[in-house]
């Protein structure tokens, strides 16, 4: 069956089984490999993307429910790693293996877009993804740092001009 | 300060020009790393092989090879940093390239045992230093000045008195005319000198002048990680590739009798479905059903319709309950094996002023790497190309070669970034499966296990059962200790052997059909819990401060070594050093609110000395909150990358806490009962305490950090719980033992 949606600002139409999760459409049909598979049952958050700016676990969202939806993936957060959350993550050298980090960043991007200055309790409540390597201390620090860098509209930066991105990082 | 040493005549620098300008610098050695169990045969007739680690191009760009698999331990950043330091280039000039698996070219390549740093640190220094010597010699020759008057910095050779300088990239032509030197070799860690053919010294830098090592350097892949670039095994795409799933018997070692393959082949997108016979080794190719489809989702969907008749085999009658029952029976019998007996345990117990006794247990646990096992393979014209997130590429090649009858030389292995290892990827079962399926399907195939596959077919951390007794004398000195360990073997020199005058270590085997393997700090991750918890029991029995009791234990005169197996035990002075450090950093002994307390533990493993303190609060209904962890470690005279090292220390502590709080694999009817993360809880943000990491710099060899920081945190947590509640945790995980 064919389904149309918007991914990172681009309209796409895919011809896939209706129960195929968005995760696998992204990874294996659209070749966007940044969104990761960890559990397939909405437990780990490695597959987190934004649905209209809200973080969702794409392994558990059948493509049939995505008709006409606007999705942003890690690849769409910024063209070159300049989103404040991505910057903070690099500055603080958050990753160990790095496998969970795209999902963590997507949740963090939405958090700092909604809350100018998230508290530790806000972070505990929002950042529920698993990091098997245990980088939580640095994730927490990086969320605070990203907020200090000015947060950013969660899905805005895709297709943003260099100027806008510069703005976002100031 | 520099001192002369004997030159290892078998190791030289070699320089090779490359097409399009540029030079490769590398070691030229007769034998591979002496620690290698399986050094490849030499490649050239004279027995020397070229190991190119550095590429410099005329534009001044420097490429350094990361030789070992990157599993999240940061080695792809840290080993190239060592070369860059000695080469004296700015880190921003450096691009790191991941090596492919080729042990003739790069020496032994694996990620395990926290060995990458100790096995490579001095060798990488030598390569960098000899390349720098070549560049200096080239500049000196160009200028007609003595090499000894030239210095380097920021990738440039300088001659101060004539104010001349040349960037490395401009010296490549002249380098080709210089005879490469032998490689300097550091044995003691001070800067040492080898001598080139013309008598000029090839010196390692004095560590005091290090500019890069010891600083905070973000991982070289950070930008690619935060932008979602395809780095991992699961991300590999090969043109024309299909996707595979592989269903094995849920009971370990079970075999396929029959399967409804015709039904599966009729499912949408399915390209092939077949039975793989497999063999008997639980870490090799096992019997199962492969389904290959156009997308992974279609392969997985088809699998939902798969009906297999299994011959489950003998393990089907086993269970965790059965193991526990058998362990209890064995505990009442005389031990099968007396591993060690010092002094007179029974006599000492009779004369003890206070004694303690406890039965300890830790369960099987799963590695649960966040990236499930996967591998991509392409078989063409008798040759195999493999892309694998593996910690052990060469043994993987050997396994595939032996299983499939393909010569090792016809197998290429690309080492992808690895989404977590923790020892799981020391095994290569997924690699041989992918290779086999790709050959039989006749197309390139990416095999991806589901999370459920991953949890059901791990090589689990071995469970263990322990019966302990111990006693202290009237001075509160730990004098008697008996440990009956029921499961498998334990080293005779395992701490606290030789620190206690009347000591008995005994084992009884408990055979079972569960595949087991190394998990981060293997052995130690469980033993430390048992040993350091029981030491705590005895400290309390003696009425002593648990930290001081440990310092006193470490100060007891060591019993004489009884044989070679007694070598290689810890240096008690180094352990006392980290205990003192963690005492100071944690504020041990300070007044804490009611319901809050601290616990301490230490452990020596993988050459590393770690002492850790956990502060925990237990509230109403046994609600446990871990307030903070202090980690103090001694891994020698140099921290390579401060940022990476702290990250490892924090991760290890949180990993250990995660194991302690909730992780347990249970067996019923020969199969694993946990399917996914809902039944196998990993710590998340809200339960992860702040972890502070401190390093004690001592004049000892530079050693690894992936593993040794983990073991002490588990007993430190359990000991803190005892301080607060008086409840002794003798069985992991902690789960809801504190409730009610
Ligand atoms: S893969 Fe979607 S939550 Fe784990
Ligand atoms: S960095 Fe490895 S899972 Fe988070």
């Amino acid at each position: 069956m064919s389904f149309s949606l918007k991914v990172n600002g681009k309209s796409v139409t895919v011809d896939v089984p209706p129960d195929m999760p968005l995760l696998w459409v992204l990874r294996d049909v659209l070749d966007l490999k940044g969104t990761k598979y960890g559990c397939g049952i909405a437990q780990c958050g490695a597959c987190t993307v934004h649905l209209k700016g809200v973080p969702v676990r794409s392994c558990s969202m059948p493509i049939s429910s995505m008709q006409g939806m606007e999705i942003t993936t890690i690849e769409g957060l910024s063209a070159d790693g300049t989103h404040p959350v991505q910057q903070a993550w690099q500055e603080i050298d958050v990753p160990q293996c790095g496998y969970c980090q795209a999902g963590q960043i997507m949740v963090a991007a939405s958090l700092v877009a909604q809350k100018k200055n998230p508290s530790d309790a806000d972070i505990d409540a929002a950042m529920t993804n698993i990091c098997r390597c245990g980088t939580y201390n640095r994730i927490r620090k990086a969320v605070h740092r990203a907020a200090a860098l000015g947060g950013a509209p969660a899905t805005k930066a895709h297709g943003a001009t260099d100027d806008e991105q510069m703005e976002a990082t100031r | 300060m520099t001192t002369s040493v004997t030159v290892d005549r078998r190791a030289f620098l070699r320089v090779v020009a490359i097409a399009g300008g540029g030079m490769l610098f590398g070691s030229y050695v007769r034998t591979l790393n002496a620690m290698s169990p399986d050094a490849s045969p030499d490649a050239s007739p004279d027995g020397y092989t070229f190991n190119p680690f550095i590429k410099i191009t005329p534009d001044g760009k420097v490429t350094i090879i990361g030789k070992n698999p990157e599993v999240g331990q940061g080695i792809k950043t840290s080993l190239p940093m060592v070369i860059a330091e000695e080469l004296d280039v700015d880190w921003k000039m450096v691009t790191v390239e991941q090596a492919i698996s080729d042990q003739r070219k790069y020496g032994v390549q694996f990620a395990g045992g926290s060995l990458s740093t100790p096995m490579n640190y001095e060798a990488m220094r030598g390569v960098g230093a000899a390349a720098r010597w070549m560049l200096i010699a080239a500049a000196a020759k160009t200028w007609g000045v003595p090499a000894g008057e030239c210095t380097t910095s920021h990738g440039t050779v300088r001659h101060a008195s004539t104010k001349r300088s040349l960037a490395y990239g401009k010296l490549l032509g002249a380098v080709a005319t210089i005879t490469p030197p032998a490689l300097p070799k550091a044995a003691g860690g001070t800067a040492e000198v080898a001598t080139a053919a013309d008598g000029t010294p090839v010196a390692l830098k004095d560590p005091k002048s290090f500019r890069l090592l010891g600083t905070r350097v973000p991982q070289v892949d950070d930008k690619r990680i935060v932008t979602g670039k395809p780095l991992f095994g699961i991300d590999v795409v090969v043109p024309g590739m299909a996707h595979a799933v592989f269903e094995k018997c849920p009971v370990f070692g079970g075999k396929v009798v029959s399967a409804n393959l015709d039904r599966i082949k009729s499912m949408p997108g399915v390209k092939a479905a077949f039975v793989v016979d497999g063999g008997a080794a639980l870490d090799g190719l096992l019997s199962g059903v492969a389904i290959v489809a156009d997308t992974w989702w279609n392969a997985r969907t088809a699998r939902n319709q798969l009906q297999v008749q299994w011959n489950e085999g003998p393990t089907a009658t086993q269970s965790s309950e059965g193991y526990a029952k058998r362990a209890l029976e064995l505990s009442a019998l005389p031990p099968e094996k007396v591993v060690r007996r010092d002094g007179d345990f029974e006599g000492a117990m009779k004369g003890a002023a206070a004694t303690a006794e406890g039965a300890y247990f830790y369960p099987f646990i799963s590695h649960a790497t966040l990236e499930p096992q996967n591998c991509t393979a392409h078989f063409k014209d008798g040759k195999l190309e493999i892309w694998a997130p593996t910690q052990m590429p060469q043994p993987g090649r050997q396994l595939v070669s032996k299983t499939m009858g393909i010569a090792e030389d016809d197998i290429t292995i690309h080492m992808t970034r690895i989404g977590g290892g923790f020892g799981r990827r020391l095994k290569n079962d997924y690699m041989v499966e992918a290779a086999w399926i790709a050959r039989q399907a006749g197309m390139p195939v990416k095999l991806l296990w589901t999370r459920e596959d991953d949890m059901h077919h791990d090589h689990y951390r071995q469970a263990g059962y322990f019966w302990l007794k111990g006693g202290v004398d009237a001075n509160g000195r730990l004098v008697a200790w008996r440990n009956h360990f029921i499961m498998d073997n334990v080293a005779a020199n395992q701490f606290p052997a030789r620190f206690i005058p009347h000591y008995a270590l005994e084992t009884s085997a408990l055979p079972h059909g569960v595949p087991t393997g190394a998990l981060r700090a293997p052995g130690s991750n469980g033993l430390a819990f048992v040993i350091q918890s029981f030491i705590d029991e005895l400290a309390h029995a003696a009425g002593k401060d648990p930290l001081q009791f440990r310092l006193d234990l470490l100060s007891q005169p060591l019993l004489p070594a009884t044989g070679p197996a007694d070598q290689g035990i810890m240096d008690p002075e180094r352990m006392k050093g980290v205990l003192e450090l963690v005492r100071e950093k944690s504020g041990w002994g300070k007044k804490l609110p009611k319901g809050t307390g601290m616990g301490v533990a230490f452990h020596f493993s993988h050459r590393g000395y770690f002492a850790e303190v956990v502060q925990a609060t237990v509230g109403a209904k046994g609600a446990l909150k871990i307030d903070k962890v202090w980690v103090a470690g001694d891994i020698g005279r140099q921290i390579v990358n401060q940022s990476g090292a702290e990250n490892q220390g924090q991760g290890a502590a949180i990993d250990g806490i995660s194991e302690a709080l909730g992780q347990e694999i249970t067996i019923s009817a020969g199969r694993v009962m946990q399917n996914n993360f809902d039944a196998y809880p990993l710590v998340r943000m809200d339960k992860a305490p702040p972890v502070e990491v401190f390093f004690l710099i001592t004049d000892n060899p530079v050693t690894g950090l992936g593993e040794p920081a983990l073991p002490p945190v588990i007993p430190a947590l359990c000991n803190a719980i005892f301080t607060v509640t008086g409840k002794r945790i003798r069985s992991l995980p902690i789960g809801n033992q504190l409730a009610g």
Side-chain angles (χ1 to χ4, degrees):
Chain A
M1 279 177 76
S2 122
F3 303 92
S4 298
L5 61 163
K6 233 180 188 183
V7 177
N8 297 334
K10 262 192 238 135
S11 298
V12 294
T13 301
V14 294
D15 187 14
V16 296
D19 66 344
M20 189 169 186
L22 174 62
L23 169 64
W24 297 107
V25 173
L26 294 170
R27 288 187 56 85
D28 287 351
V29 182
L30 301 175
D31 198 27
L32 293 167
K33 295 287 198 279
T35 308
K36 294 293 192 268
Y37 166 70
C39 68
I41 59 163
Q43 277 285 319
C44 73
C47 62
T48 305
V49 299
H50 290 173
L51 174 60
K52 296 191 226 133
V54 178
V56 295
R57 293 182 170 170
S58 65
C59 68
S60 302
M61 318 215 65
I63 191 69
S64 56
S65 67
M66 292 288 112
Q67 191 71 266
M69 299 286 185
E70 267 185 53
I71 301 296
T72 305
T73 70
I74 186 75
E75 291 91 346
L77 204 56
S78 76
D80 54 359
T82 50
H83 185 285
V85 173
Q86 292 170 316
Q87 283 205 318
W89 245 247
Q90 295 174 77
E91 207 178 282
I92 287 159
D93 188 26
V94 173
Q96 285 187 32
C97 82
Y99 193 76
C100 73
Q101 300 296 348
Q104 307 279 7
I105 287 170
M106 294 311 282
V107 181
S110 158
L111 175 61
V112 298
Q114 283 160 21
K115 296 224 162 171
K116 253 190 139 46
N117 203 354
S119 66
D120 280 339
D122 293 333
I123 292 173
D124 283 348
M127 305 293 299
T128 58
N129 288 5
I130 289 173
C131 174
R132 172 66 182 83
C133 301
T135 62
Y136 298 113
N137 282 211
R138 287 192 177 184
I139 291 175
R140 183 185 303 282
K141 202 167 156 192
V143 172
H144 287 305
R145 176 71 185 137
L149 286 170
T155 56
K156 179 72 200 309
H158 172 76
T161 63
D162 283 349
D163 278 359
E164 277 171 332
Q165 281 169 1
M166 290 292 289
E167 199 55 51
T169 58
R170 231 163 252 151
Chain B
M1 198 197 77
T2 59
T3 49
S4 288
V5 292
T6 338
V7 174
D8 177 357
R9 289 284 167 208
R10 298 170 308 164
F12 290 88
L13 187 79
R14 193 177 185 193
V15 181
V16 169
I18 49 173
M23 286 278 182
L24 293 174
F25 297 75
S27 52
Y28 191 56
V29 292
R30 191 193 283 279
T31 55
L32 291 170
N33 197 314
M35 290 171 84
S36 157
D38 56 356
S40 306
D42 298 308
S44 66
D46 64 354
Y48 282 77
T49 53
F50 179 46
N51 312 158
F53 287 104
I54 306 168
K55 181 171 85 184
I56 303 179
T57 45
D59 57 7
K61 291 212 174 92
V62 179
T63 305
I64 299 180
I65 295 289
K67 71 183 278 276
N68 281 2
E70 174 59 61
V71 68
Q73 83 282 45
I75 207 72
K76 184 177 172 185
T77 304
S78 60
L79 286 183
M81 280 172 70
V82 177
I83 293 181
E85 176 69 67
E86 290 288 349
L87 184 59
D88 218 2
V89 291
D90 292 344
W91 188 242
K92 63 176 190 298
M93 302 162 71
V94 173
T95 305
V96 174
E97 241 173 52
Q98 178 69 55
I100 65 160
S101 162
D102 184 344
Q103 301 207 141
R104 280 174 213 164
K105 232 168 154 179
Y106 301 114
V108 184
Q109 297 169 287
F110 73 99
S114 294
L115 280 165
S116 292
T117 301
M119 284 174 69
N120 294 289
Y121 178 74
E122 299 297 353
M124 295 293 107
R125 287 183 75 191
V127 168
R132 175 171 162 271
W133 182 94
M134 289 285 288
L135 291 155
I136 290 179
K141 192 171 171 190
T142 306
W143 296 327
V145 302
E149 290 179 6
C150 299
T151 57
T152 58
S153 62
H154 312 295
T156 298
V157 185
R158 299 168 205 280
H159 188 242
S161 59
T162 57
K163 291 205 171 69
R164 280 182 291 192
S165 66
L166 274 171
Y168 289 174
K170 303 274 179 279
L171 285 164
L172 300 178
V175 158
T177 69
I178 306 288
T179 309
L183 292 176
K185 223 181 134 200
T190 45
E192 288 168 352
V193 179
T195 313
D198 66 355
T200 46
V202 183
L204 293 177
K205 274 188 180 176
D206 181 340
K208 283 191 211 68
S209 68
F210 283 170
R211 276 192 271 247
L212 183 60
L213 297 192
T215 64
R216 310 183 72 85
V217 176
Q219 284 199 62
V220 290
D221 280 340
D222 274 359
K223 183 164 182 185
R224 287 181 280 257
I225 289 168
V226 305
T227 52
K229 294 288 177 300
L231 291 170
F232 297 90
I234 196 174
D235 302 334
V236 169
V237 175
V238 176
M241 174 182 95
H243 297 259
V245 292
F246 188 51
E247 172 141 326
K248 286 175 284 195
C249 184
V251 177
F252 300 116
K255 287 193 170 296
V256 179
V257 176
S258 64
N260 60 340
L261 294 178
D262 290 339
R263 165 92 177 100
I264 299 305
K265 284 179 196 158
S266 72
M267 296 287 292
V270 172
K271 293 168 180 263
F274 47 86
V275 170
V276 175
D277 287 339
L282 292 180
D283 55 0
L285 184 68
L286 286 173
S287 176
V289 178
I291 303 172
V292 182
D294 55 349
T295 65
W296 189 74
W297 185 252
N298 276 337
R300 197 186 176 304
T301 303
R303 187 176 168 185
N304 292 338
Q305 303 304 317
L306 181 62
Q307 286 168 358
V308 187
Q309 202 201 325
W310 301 103
N311 174 358
E312 294 185 339
T315 304
T317 59
Q318 298 184 7
S319 68
S320 292
E321 269 174 25
Y323 303 145
K325 202 166 143 252
R326 180 68 188 138
L328 191 59
E329 286 165 12
L330 288 169
S331 75
L333 300 175
E336 268 174 27
K337 200 167 136 195
V338 175
V339 180
R340 182 180 199 111
R341 233 174 203 282
D342 296 320
D344 170 17
F345 170 76
E346 286 77 11
M349 284 298 275
K350 278 194 199 107
T355 62
E357 185 170 347
Y360 278 79
F361 164 73
Y362 53 77
F364 293 108
I365 58 175
S366 172
H367 296 83
T369 62
L370 199 57
E371 179 190 19
Q373 308 317 310
N374 67 85
C375 180
T376 304
H378 188 189
F379 180 78
K380 205 177 157 222
D381 305 330
K383 291 186 199 280
L384 250 176
E385 192 166 7
I386 289 172
W387 294 259
T390 172
Q391 294 177 248
M392 279 279 187
Q394 177 57 18
R397 177 185 278 113
Q398 288 164 345
L399 173 66
V400 171
S401 167
K402 231 176 86 198
T403 310
M404 298 180 62
I406 300 170
E408 283 186 37
D409 281 347
D410 289 334
I411 303 170
T412 303
I413 300 178
H414 303 274
M415 303 191 293
T416 67
R417 193 176 178 88
I418 302 173
F422 314 104
R424 174 60 183 86
R425 288 165 160 115
L426 298 170
K427 305 283 189 184
N428 286 291
D429 38 1
Y430 47 91
M431 187 194 286
V432 72
E433 289 170 5
W436 187 280
I437 294 168
R439 183 172 70 177
Q440 181 153 352
M443 61 191 90
V445 161
K446 174 155 72 187
L447 169 72
L448 170 62
W449 292 15
T450 62
R451 170 57 54 196
E452 290 80 5
D453 293 333
D454 202 273
M455 209 158 271
H456 294 166
H457 295 284
D458 199 349
H459 304 271
Y460 306 87
R461 191 278 303 274
Q462 178 73 289
Y465 302 84
F466 301 77
W467 271 263
L468 288 127
K469 285 184 183 170
V472 294
D473 67 12
N475 298 321
R477 204 169 71 102
L478 179 42
V479 288
W481 177 288
R482 176 186 183 236
N483 180 2
H484 183 186
F485 171 34
I486 293 169
M487 187 50 84
D488 51 15
N489 297 319
V490 64
N493 65 358
Q494 180 65 51
F495 183 82
R498 295 178 61 201
F499 285 85
I500 298 176
H502 307 287
Y503 181 87
L505 179 60
E506 301 155 345
T507 58
S508 297
L510 199 167
H512 60 73
V514 180
T516 57
L519 184 143
R520 194 176 199 173
S524 298
N525 57 39
L527 289 173
F529 155 66
V530 176
I531 293 164
Q532 292 286 323
S533 295
F534 196 60
I535 288 177
D536 220 63
E537 294 204 40
L538 288 159
H540 287 282
K544 292 257 177 150
D545 172 78
L547 199 151
Q548 188 58 46
F549 187 75
R550 284 173 170 78
L551 287 170
D552 294 345
L553 175 60
L554 290 166
S555 304
Q556 299 202 145
L558 264 187
L559 299 191
T562 53
D566 269 1
Q567 304 304 316
I569 71 160
M570 74 164 99
D571 171 354
E573 294 310 312
R574 293 181 73 183
M575 194 58 88
K576 280 155 69 180
V578 291
L579 265 170
E580 292 288 6
L581 181 62
V582 84
R583 176 192 339 233
E584 173 206 326
K585 295 295 180 186
S586 65
W588 180 265
K590 74 183 169 205
K591 185 122 184 58
L592 292 168
K594 196 168 150 33
T596 298
M598 286 185 182
V600 65
F602 66 80
H603 192 74
F604 168 71
S605 70
H606 298 90
R607 300 169 179 75
Y609 295 77
F610 280 82
E612 302 178 17
V613 167
V614 170
Q615 180 180 312
T617 299
V618 182
K621 297 202 185 112
L624 171 67
K625 180 171 175 291
I626 303 171
D627 303 313
K628 192 162 176 177
V629 180
W630 293 264
V631 174
D634 173 359
I635 49 170
R637 62 177 66 89
Q638 181 68 51
I639 299 301
V640 176
N641 181 355
Q642 188 69 27
S643 177
E646 287 172 12
N647 215 350
Q648 288 303 307
Q650 291 181 325
I654 288 172
D655 193 355
I657 283 168
S658 190
E659 289 176 11
L661 290 181
Q663 293 180 31
E664 178 170 27
I665 290 291
T666 52
I667 309 295
S668 181
R671 68 203 79 205
V672 166
M673 291 289 95
Q674 291 70 26
N675 296 329
N676 206 316
F677 292 132
D678 50 348
Y680 192 79
L682 299 179
V683 154
R684 297 172 195 255
M685 179 69 84
D686 61 341
K687 294 270 188 314
V691 181
E692 279 198 60
V693 181
F694 304 92
F695 293 106
L696 187 65
I697 301 300
T698 60
D699 192 20
N700 286 292
V702 181
T703 55
L705 184 52
E707 296 170 278
L710 186 148
V713 76
I714 298 171
L717 169 59
C718 297
N719 294 341
I721 289 171
F722 181 84
T723 309
V724 181
T725 64
K727 167 138 184 85
R728 177 59 64 186
I729 301 291
R730 295 200 186 95
S731 173
L732 291 179
I734 296 165
N736 56 10
Q737 291 180 60
L738 300 179

